[in-house]
């Protein structure tokens, strides 16, 4: 399903210059222990850089190109993500304003395009969920985001997204707004 999957305790890994295409689900799934679990189970400080992820979600269209769930301190930079049926890069995993491991993730200089392709709804090129202090989304180029019924946003801050900085992103040709906030706060 996933080309690369990092689970509990995966720390300090570097994934660079991979081409991932025509996969059943997504390119990268990074997940680890939750807030209530032992700190050794936490997944952190991984780098996903200069990868080309395309034509993903071929069997499971709701898959994400790069999915960061319960994880912190990751750098996702200079990737090209395109031709997926759902979100390009997703950060966070806790609904609402409860405690979360997701923090200090840097999403920068990625080129994300032709996402959604009119199949699914409630999605964006970059999606956040839950409290995520220190997370920065900057210098990304996003275009051609299309949803089925609703959604299709460029940057989508969903429920509980908090303490996130967005800067210098270029977003155009989206089905709805280039930027959407849904029950989020303290977004700069």
């Amino acid at each position: 399903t996933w080309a690369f999957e990092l689970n509990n305790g995966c720390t300090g890994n570097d994934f660079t210059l991979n081409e991932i295409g025509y996969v059943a689900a997504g390119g990268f799934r990074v997940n680890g222990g939750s807030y209530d679990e032992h700190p050794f189970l936490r997944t952190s400080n991984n780098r996903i850089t200069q990868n080309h992820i395309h034509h993903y979600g071929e069997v499971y269209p709701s898959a994400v190109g790069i999915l960061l769930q319960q994880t912190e301190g990751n750098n996702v930079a200079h990737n090209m993500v395109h031709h997926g049926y759902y979100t390009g890069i997703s950060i966070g995993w806790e609904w609402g304003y409860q405690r979360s491991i997701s923090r200090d993730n840097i999403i920068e200089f990625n080129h994300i395009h032709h996402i959604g392709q009119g199949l699914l709804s409630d999605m964006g090129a970059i999606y956040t969920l839950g409290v995520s202090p220190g997370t920065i989304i900057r210098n990304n180029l996003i275009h051609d985001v299309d949803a089925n019924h609703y959604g299709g946003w460029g940057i989508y801050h969903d429920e509980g997204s908090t303490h996130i900085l967005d800067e210098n992103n270029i977003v155009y040709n989206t089905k709805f707004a280039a930027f959407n906030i849904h029950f989020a706060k303290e977004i700069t």
Side-chain angles (χ1 to χ4, degrees):
T1 54
W2 298 88
F4 293 97
E5 192 164 3
L6 287 77
N7 289 308
N8 291 351
C10 291
T11 301
N13 298 288
D14 195 351
F15 297 89
T16 304
L17 297 172
N18 297 286
E19 180 172 355
I20 301 166
Y22 301 96
V23 290
F28 292 90
R29 180 176 181 247
V30 183
N31 193 21
S34 69
Y35 189 84
D36 297 326
E37 293 180 293
H38 195 282
F40 288 161
L41 296 177
R42 294 186 183 169
T43 299
S44 63
N45 301 312
N46 298 292
R47 291 173 29 96
I48 300 171
T49 58
Q50 300 179 55
N51 298 287
H52 182 193
I53 302 163
H54 60 92
H55 298 91
Y56 60 91
E58 297 283 292
V59 176
Y60 305 102
S62 61
V64 175
I66 300 171
L67 175 59
L68 305 177
Q69 292 176 281
Q70 300 277 4
T71 185
E72 61 187 334
N74 299 285
N75 183 260
V76 177
H78 298 281
N79 298 288
M80 182 176 292
V81 181
H82 62 92
H83 287 92
Y85 297 106
Y86 198 56
T87 294
I89 299 173
S90 181
I91 309 110
W93 201 247
E94 297 290 341
W95 289 97
Y97 299 104
Q98 58 199 4
R99 289 184 170 186
S100 171
I101 296 300
S102 183
R103 64 177 302 123
D104 300 315
N105 293 301
I106 309 298
I107 312 301
E108 61 185 355
F109 298 102
N110 298 286
H111 184 186
I112 307 167
H113 63 92
H114 292 91
I115 299 297
Q117 301 181 76
L119 182 64
L120 300 173
S121 295
D122 196 26
M123 46 74 64
I126 297 177
Y127 174 89
T128 66
L129 181 68
V131 177
S132 192
T135 292
I136 300 171
I137 300 169
R138 65 180 169 212
N139 300 313
N140 297 285
L141 174 60
I142 297 167
H143 59 92
D144 296 297
V145 181
D146 189 17
N148 182 308
H149 178 65
Y150 73 97
W153 297 291
I155 298 173
Y156 177 14
H157 293 301
D158 205 358
E159 295 194 24
S161 293
T162 306
H163 305 298
I164 299 171
L165 171 64
D166 294 298
E167 64 182 358
N168 277 347
N169 297 289
I170 297 174
V171 182
Y172 65 92
N173 199 21
T174 59
K175 181 161 187 170
F176 286 97
F179 185 82
N180 183 54
I181 296 177
H182 181 247
F183 291 107
K185 63 181 184 176
E186 298 169 20
I187 305 290
T188 302

